[in-house]
Amino acid sequence: MNTFLNYLVVAALFALVLAPVALGPARERRIDRQLREAQRGRRAAGPPETESAARPVAATRRPHLRIWVRV
């Protein structure tokens, strides 16, 4: 019984060490697929964008305030 538990502990440690190696490529493939869809102009599934989210934020210098301000 002791030998079985030793093998079980070693197998669990191997699984913990090798899990990132097994899950990393799957995550990379998902990201690559999303990038390819974005290049083709198709939107990935997600919440709809609003007009304010699409507008870029501009930063301007206001000399009288001596700070950068978002407009």
Side-chain angles (χ1 to χ4, degrees), residues 45-66:
E49 294 183 15
T50 62
E51 289 183 23
S52 62
R55 190 183 72 202
V57 175
T60 59
R61 176 104 168 120
R62 297 191 179 175
H64 62 282
L65 297 176
R66 297 179 191 252

